[in-house]
Amino acid sequence: MSINEKDSGYKVIMHLRYSELTNKIYPPAFYLSRPKIRAIYNVTSCDEVIDCVQLPYFKEPKATSYPLDLNKGFDQFIFRRDAEPYQLLNKVQKFVLESEENVLKLNASQKTQTCASSSTSCPDKQSALEPKRKQILTTRGFLARIMLTPYRLKGSEYNSMTFYATRYCGILHLIDSNYKMDRLKKCSYHSKFVQACYSDSPDLEPNTNVPVDENNIIFSIYQTTLKEFDLIYSAEIQGIISDHKINDIHNLDEINECRFVLTKLLPEKPIEDIFDHPKCMLFWLQSYLTNVNDIFIGVRNLDGVVNTPVQMKRVQDMPKNRFWQPHICIRFLHIMLSLVEETMAKVDCPYTTYEFKYDCYAKCIKLKIHNGKSEYSLLSEEYIKKCKERTNFK
């Protein structure tokens, strides 16, 4: 370790080796269970998280719509504000606070298992043979960034990442450092393209004459499992394909049967297969984590104009014949979640934050600890109180 690294307060806790991380011989015998939507929220331009939501409906641009000029209305375009670390968990915290069901009960129940009678096998004996359930509250962005890591070992500022963890009442709360976007015209093209592909109703065409405000966002809360980990995370969604309007956004049985889609925009590149584009691995991960089966991809030129029709791609086809493999991404996610859990096993503080840094130049994971309340603290006071009550953690 260099003097600068030592002075920065980081210590190395794990070295990453490409040959080990991308070993294709031993795929894991586990995958994510199918992610289920547990709630849908609208984050308004005033940064309020509300449950009054109107789902957008995908409408493929008509042939007469091309070329699509994504520069239209840029003078009124509103870029997304940079978020503070504590704001990234506000959606999952709201879900925990307002859910009628105690979504933290799995954590609480670990402490109350007893034998019902001497004539039956004791659950405690069975649980001793199985990993204890471990609960994680996080964001899709964090999960996707971690899953990309085995294929981002080349030294560059773009590949490095930092994420933060707080362990309280036995629950891990995880976020990655928020990416600061450039506010250049080309950075507005994707949101303008999305506006051209979605409508407020299945019977209406998209309205591209209103300003785009990137601060008005729809999020879903998802729940899934990965081996011994129970994951609850927020993810931005774009819309659905449907021939009828969804009137009850709180009917989760109906919502989970909806055909959610993603809409992506790529710059023109001299490649035969659009799936060879480097961003397509991220697109697959985002889809996998939100149970999306279809992606609609637009291709723009350097001037921000889409001249060719949108391409519909099946998510299940994306990993075929690629240099990257889904099971390697999934295996590394489990490795990292286990590392964080083991590193913080004795921590129980709502304010202390562990800062994990992936240094792609040194090919290692580093750790720095921020003890007590600080600018890195992630949890709201209201959530801290509710978490203690609902887990009965001692």
Side-chain angles (χ1 to χ4, degrees):
M1 183 182 297
S2 69
I3 294 176
N4 288 339
E5 287 176 346
K6 185 176 180 180
D7 289 346
S8 71
Y10 288 102
K11 68 174 183 178
V12 175
I13 60 172
M14 182 181 184
H15 289 280
L16 305 181
R17 296 175 178 85
Y18 180 81
S19 60
E20 295 177 3
L21 295 184
T22 59
N23 186 329
K24 300 178 182 179
I25 300 176
Y26 303 109
F30 55 86
Y31 292 88
L32 286 178
S33 62
R34 180 183 177 187
K36 291 286 188 180
I37 294 175
R38 300 298 308 276
I40 299 183
Y41 300 124
N42 183 200
V43 178
T44 71
S45 56
C46 299
D47 206 33
E48 294 179 287
V49 182
I50 61 176
D51 57 7
C52 181
V53 180
Q54 179 174 283
L55 279 178
Y57 298 83
F58 179 79
K59 304 283 287 186
E60 186 171 350
K62 296 179 178 179
T64 54
S65 301
Y66 297 97
L68 291 174
D69 185 357
L70 305 179
N71 299 281
K72 179 183 175 182
F74 178 70
D75 57 331
Q76 295 179 295
F77 190 94
I78 304 171
F79 283 101
R80 188 172 302 187
R81 294 183 296 271
D82 293 331
E84 297 300 323
Y86 72 89
Q87 293 175 302
L88 299 180
L89 283 178
N90 59 0
K91 280 79 66 179
V92 291
Q93 290 185 75
K94 178 182 175 68
F95 172 62
V96 171
L97 289 168
E98 298 185 354
S99 176
E100 293 181 4
E101 175 191 356
N102 181 1
V103 297
L104 306 181
K105 65 182 179 182
L106 287 174
N107 187 273
S109 65
Q110 290 176 8
K111 299 178 175 297
T112 58
Q113 285 186 327
T114 58
C115 293
S117 69
S118 58
S119 62
T120 58
S121 61
C122 177
D124 284 335
K125 291 181 180 179
Q126 180 64 26
S127 65
L129 302 176
E130 300 173 354
K132 286 186 177 181
R133 307 306 303 164
K134 298 170 183 177
Q135 200 153 32
I136 292 176
L137 271 57
T138 185
T139 67
R140 178 182 62 178
F142 164 78
L143 298 173
R145 289 285 301 277
I146 291 295
M147 295 170 83
L148 284 169
T149 302
Y151 297 103
R152 289 191 173 177
L153 296 181
K154 183 179 179 180
S156 74
E157 200 61 35
Y158 180 76
N159 286 344
S160 293
M161 72 169 291
T162 299
F163 64 93
Y164 303 95
T166 291
R167 191 173 188 273
Y168 180 57
C169 295
I171 299 170
L172 279 175
H173 307 80
L174 299 164
I175 63 164
D176 61 332
S177 58
N178 199 31
Y179 179 66
K180 310 291 185 185
M181 278 191 63
D182 292 328
R183 286 167 171 78
L184 304 173
K185 180 180 282 190
K186 67 178 181 179
C187 300
S188 72
Y189 290 154
H190 177 259
S191 293
K192 188 64 181 179
F193 178 64
V194 169
Q195 185 191 57
C197 294
Y198 291 88
S199 171
D200 292 338
S201 169
D203 302 320
L204 298 175
E205 292 302 314
N207 182 2
T208 59
N209 294 319
V210 296
V212 175
D213 184 354
E214 289 192 321
N215 299 293
N216 197 340
I217 318 162
I218 300 176
F219 283 89
S220 282
I221 304 298
Y222 291 87
Q223 189 165 21
T224 186
T225 60
L226 176 65
K227 211 171 181 183
E228 72 271 28
F229 293 102
D230 294 300
L231 308 177
I232 297 176
Y233 52 93
S234 62
E236 184 176 343
I237 61 174
Q238 292 176 340
I240 63 172
I241 293 178
S242 176
D243 58 4
H244 68 279
K245 196 162 187 177
I246 306 298
N247 294 315
D248 185 4
I249 201 71
H250 303 294
N251 183 347
L252 294 180
D253 288 336
E254 182 180 13
I255 291 297
N256 276 290
E257 292 301 317
C258 287
R259 184 185 172 190
F260 283 84
V261 296
L262 286 180
T263 308
K264 297 294 185 179
L265 184 68
L266 291 173
E268 282 182 332
K269 287 201 173 205
I271 53 177
E272 293 184 9
D273 188 343
I274 199 169
F275 284 168
D276 284 333
H277 194 284
K279 284 190 175 181
C280 280
M281 180 165 57
L282 173 61
F283 296 168
W284 179 85
L285 287 169
Q286 291 173 333
S287 303
Y288 179 68
L289 291 166
T290 51
N291 197 32
V292 166
N293 294 319
D294 304 295
I295 297 182
F296 290 84
I297 301 177
V299 178
R300 65 164 177 86
N301 63 22
L302 294 176
D303 296 322
V305 177
V306 178
N307 288 301
T308 55
V310 172
Q311 302 179 45
M312 192 277 275
K313 299 294 184 179
R314 299 287 293 169
V315 172
Q316 65 184 19
D317 296 331
M318 296 180 73
K320 295 178 181 177
N321 301 316
R322 304 297 135 202
F323 72 92
W324 52 274
Q325 297 292 321
H327 74 263
I328 288 174
C329 301
I330 296 163
R331 180 172 62 197
F332 187 72
L333 174 62
H334 185 263
I335 289 171
M336 287 305 301
L337 295 180
S338 300
L339 175 67
V340 175
E341 172 66 29
E342 292 166 8
T343 303
M344 302 186 71
K346 296 182 180 179
V347 179
D348 179 35
C349 178
Y351 305 114
T352 293
T353 301
Y354 277 43
E355 178 182 338
F356 295 84
K357 182 175 181 179
Y358 163 50
D359 185 338
C360 62
Y361 293 100
K363 305 289 188 294
C364 67
I365 306 294
K366 302 176 182 178
L367 172 66
K368 180 193 288 186
I369 300 174
H370 305 278
N371 284 307
K373 204 164 191 176
S374 72
E375 62 182 303
Y376 298 97
S377 297
L378 307 179
L379 309 181
S380 71
E381 294 298 329
E382 185 180 9
Y383 172 82
I384 290 169
K385 180 181 178 182
K386 181 69 72 171
C387 188
K388 192 77 168 180
E389 292 172 355
R390 292 207 160 185
T391 59
N392 193 27
F393 191 85
K394 297 179 181 179

